[in-house]
Amino acid sequence: MTTSGLDPAIGSLLRRNADGLVAAVTVDHHTSDVLMMAWMDDEALHRTLVTRRATYYSRSRGELWVKGETSGHTQAVREVRIDCDGDTVLVRVEQTGPACHTGERTCFDGADRLLLTDDGP
Amino acid sequence: MTTSGLDPAIGSLLRRNADGLVAAVTVDHHTSDVLMMAWMDDEALHRTLVTRRATYYSRSRGELWVKGETSGHTQAVREVRIDCDGDTVLVRVEQTGPACHTGERTCFDGADRLLLTDDGP
């Protein structure tokens, strides 16, 4: 957790986990493909809403993380929604470059990432 | 956690949280809209893959939960992918009826669920 400037009205909608985080599902604004799943604390959500640059909370590093800050693969935020029980935000973005650190377009795209498919009608 | 028949090769791809769970992001097969976010343990994933009915793990009830078992709003599974670091599965489904227990089509659809929008070009 970091101290946060998040609007208390928005904060009141959040149902944070024991670490003070909500899940963030990020989708491509144009294709609606799910790009990645990450986490936000209050300040990450605040900065995402105010700067319109997708900002997450890194659980491994224990710090905020502006997507693309080092790679250049930024996410310009177009829409943010919160789910019915307040523990997940859905972020629609204009993605620059690949979303995944592996270089794949999304974090679900690797050939070895497919567990089940059904190409039926 | 429940005992599981999950294929060990798939199990070896998972990076479970402290409760033995992975996040599950479920999307509509036709529209690609994100319907909901929930959790799976090994057995929920196993049953999802084998029965092709989306099955989750209820953290509040501590048990498996076949989506739509009581409401009839089932999810027929068309594709399952796992993300680059193994802590999230992406489930594409044919959704019968609304996905959200509130009666909304998705868990992100309520009018009060929109935190930010940008209708620009």
Side-chain angles (χ1 to χ4, degrees), chain B residues 23-36:
Chain B
V25 177
T26 304
V27 305
D28 185 288
H29 182 61
H30 297 291
T31 65
S32 292
D33 287 337
V34 176
L35 297 171
M36 54 184 282

Side-chain angles (χ1 to χ4, degrees), chain B residues 54-99:
Chain B
T55 304
Y56 304 98
Y57 181 82
S58 168
R59 295 176 302 169
S60 57
R61 298 196 305 273
E63 63 183 18
L64 294 181
W65 156 52
V66 179
K67 175 71 178 168
E69 197 169 39
T70 53
S71 67
H73 300 154
T74 52
Q75 296 176 334
V77 176
R78 299 293 299 267
E79 185 183 279
V80 180
R81 290 181 171 274
I82 189 166
D83 75 342
C84 55
D85 63 0
D87 64 3
T88 306
V89 293
L90 180 63
V91 186
R92 296 189 75 90
V93 302
E94 305 258 359
Q95 173 71 51
T96 297

Side-chain angles (χ1 to χ4, degrees), chain A residues 23 32 37 49 52 59 78-84 87-88 90 100 107-108 113 115-118 120-121, chain B residues 23 32 37 52 59 78-84 87-88 90 107-108 113-118 120-121:
Chain A
S32 292
M37 204 286 266
L49 293 170
R52 300 205 175 195
R59 295 176 301 169
R78 298 295 297 268
E79 186 183 277
V80 180
R81 290 180 171 274
I82 188 166
D83 74 342
C84 56
D87 64 2
T88 306
L90 180 63
C100 188
C107 290
F108 301 91
R113 302 291 95 186
L115 303 185
L116 173 74
T117 188
D118 176 350
Chain B
S32 292
M37 203 286 264
R52 299 206 175 195
R59 295 176 302 169
R78 299 293 299 267
E79 185 183 279
V80 180
R81 290 181 171 274
I82 189 166
D83 75 342
C84 55
D87 64 3
T88 306
L90 180 63
C107 290
F108 301 91
R113 302 291 96 185
L114 183 62
L115 303 184
L116 173 74
T117 187
D118 175 351

